[in-house]
Amino acid sequence: PQPGILWVTCSGTQRFRLAGPPAQAANGLWSAPVELLPVDPPTAVPEGLRSTAAALSQAATLLQDQGLAVIAQPWQLDDASWVAHRWAELLPLDLAVRQQLLEITEPLQRLGLIAQLMQQAVRELARWLDREAEGSATLEDEVRAFGASIDIVRHAAPARQ
């Protein structure tokens, strides 16, 4: 804790979009009118994307076992929308990419794109492991591989004080 610093923890419960321009009050607080978006209907995770739900279960269990319960119970691993939203929260994505993913209104499309991002991270890690085994891996290879994969846990964990 630092004097003059306010630490705030928020939990989102429903998607929304800005319904007007943001404004700053005299006390410095920013606010804006919002429009609540409809909740995604429950959508089954199709066979081809079940590995994303299984991987989320493993990641969440690992984090929970380490005392980092970053995904609230109950887990809805059979709902494509819920799985896609949790991955969008956990993955170390550029903020613009994360925003684009969360703005997608079709749950299966959102989960499919997240699966592609995860496959890309796995390919980067595999490429690095191959080069490492050959003895030709560079620092750039290592940074790219770990930036695309291992940081998931670090970015998912809340800041410790």
Side-chain angles (χ1 to χ4, degrees), residues 30-80:
W30 284 91
S31 64
V34 298
E35 169 192 349
L36 295 178
L37 299 175
V39 175
D40 291 337
T43 305
V45 176
E47 182 69 35
L49 295 173
R50 288 200 183 135
S51 61
T52 60
L56 178 61
S57 176
Q58 291 174 347
T61 300
L62 174 67
L63 291 167
Q64 191 173 33
D65 290 348
Q66 294 178 5
L68 304 170
V70 296
I71 299 179
Q73 298 277 357
W75 295 348
Q76 300 170 35
L77 296 166
D78 57 346
D79 182 0

Side-chain angles (χ1 to χ4, degrees), residues 10 20 35 67 69 86 91 125:
C10 299
E35 169 192 349
R86 298 304 73 81
L91 291 170
L125 182 58

Side-chain angles (χ1 to χ4, degrees), residues 64-155:
Q64 191 173 33
D65 290 348
Q66 294 178 5
L68 304 170
V70 296
I71 299 179
Q73 298 277 357
W75 295 348
Q76 300 170 35
L77 296 166
D78 57 346
D79 182 0
S81 179
W82 187 88
V83 171
H85 280 115
R86 298 304 73 81
W87 274 125
E89 293 169 359
L90 289 175
L91 291 170
L93 302 170
D94 177 80
L95 289 180
V97 172
R98 186 184 321 274
Q99 182 69 31
Q100 289 174 343
L101 283 171
L102 293 174
E103 287 179 356
I104 295 171
T105 57
E106 171 52 45
L108 294 178
Q109 180 185 9
R110 188 182 321 118
L111 186 57
L113 290 171
I114 286 173
Q116 289 176 13
L117 290 170
M118 293 171 68
Q119 289 168 355
Q120 180 181 358
V122 169
R123 283 192 301 271
E124 288 291 344
L125 182 58
R127 193 174 299 130
W128 173 76
L129 288 170
D130 288 345
R131 288 184 177 167
E132 184 72 13
E134 296 168 355
S136 63
T138 65
L139 180 58
E140 182 180 326
D141 293 330
E142 185 174 350
V143 168
R144 188 171 38 248
F146 284 100
S149 57
I150 304 302
D151 275 349
I152 291 170
V153 173
R154 185 178 308 133
H155 286 274

